[in-house]
Amino acid sequence: MDDTKPILIAGLGNPGAAYARNRHNVGFMAVDALAGRDADWKKEKNSLISKQSKIIFAKPQTFMNLSGGAVQSLMTFYKIPLENVIVIHDDMDIKLGDVRTKVGGGSAGHNGIKSIDAAIGPEYQRIRIGVGHPRDFDSPIPPRDWVLDNFSDEELKLVNDVIKKIPDMD
């Protein structure tokens, strides 16, 4: 991380109230929590952003599958190096209530990550929040529908608890 440059923390999700509780929107949920209740959000470069000191919190408003363009625009405008980009997103291969970090790697079929990889390359930091896979719940729902389904109240509590752990992660 280059301490002399801004840090971009982009949470992935889909814009609009209809998607607010979707599993796919856990990145937006995390960025909202990290930015805090008093965050001042404004539209810039196809994202909602909140600037707080050297940290730029972002929620791309391009829909999940086109997130890369919004992230790249913010990086270019604010001169943010790749090493200072953190993307928070849902991951079906991680158990609900768990969170993991990594730098780089594949997309595991996640279209938002594919879009970002295509726009800026894959070597950015990722915070992956587990949303579980439908097979873990003996659910017949196809994975693409699973991520667009809402969290139950119980699941949302688990997710909010894991989001609270993010600031303490290395």
Side-chain angles (χ1 to χ4, degrees), residues 126-138:
R126 303 173 193 192
I127 298 175
R128 303 171 306 146
I129 298 174
V131 297
H133 194 283
R135 69 174 169 257
D136 301 335
F137 298 88
D138 295 323

Side-chain angles (χ1 to χ4, degrees), residues 5-6 8 12 32 34-35 38 52 61-62 104 168:
K5 301 282 185 178
L8 175 62
L12 300 190
D32 281 337
L34 293 170
D38 297 330
Q52 299 179 20
Q61 299 295 290
T62 54
D168 298 325

Side-chain angles (χ1 to χ4, degrees), residues 3-152:
D3 294 335
T4 66
K5 301 282 185 178
I7 297 167
L8 175 62
I9 301 177
L12 300 190
N14 288 311
Y19 300 101
R21 285 181 58 134
N22 284 185
R23 290 178 179 89
H24 229 10
N25 273 41
V26 75
F28 278 11
M29 294 174 197
V31 166
D32 281 337
L34 293 170
R37 266 193 232 160
D38 297 330
D40 181 26
W41 295 95
K42 67 178 185 173
K43 184 112 178 177
E44 191 171 287
K45 305 292 179 199
N46 291 321
S47 295
L48 287 177
I49 69 161
S50 177
K51 292 190 277 187
Q52 299 179 20
S53 188
K54 288 175 47 178
I55 299 174
I56 300 164
F57 294 99
K59 298 185 286 185
Q61 299 295 290
T62 54
F63 285 91
M64 178 68 74
N65 297 355
L66 302 173
S67 299
V71 169
Q72 182 182 42
S73 292
L74 290 168
M75 286 178 67
T76 301
F77 186 76
Y78 288 104
K79 298 175 177 44
I80 300 168
L82 188 60
E83 67 202 50
N84 284 21
V85 174
I86 301 168
V87 174
I88 305 174
H89 64 92
D90 60 294
D91 193 318
M92 285 194 307
D93 293 326
I94 298 175
K95 186 178 92 172
L96 179 70
D98 284 348
V99 62
R100 297 190 188 145
T101 63
K102 74 175 186 173
V103 175
S107 68
H110 193 293
N111 289 327
I113 295 300
K114 283 181 190 177
S115 175
I116 294 172
D117 289 355
I120 67 171
E123 294 303 313
Y124 51 90
Q125 297 177 60
R126 303 173 193 192
I127 298 175
R128 303 171 306 146
I129 298 174
V131 297
H133 194 283
R135 69 174 169 257
D136 301 335
F137 298 88
D138 295 323
S139 175
I141 299 173
R144 71 174 176 273
D145 295 335
W146 177 259
V147 294
L148 294 174
D149 198 15
N150 287 340
F151 285 115
S152 69

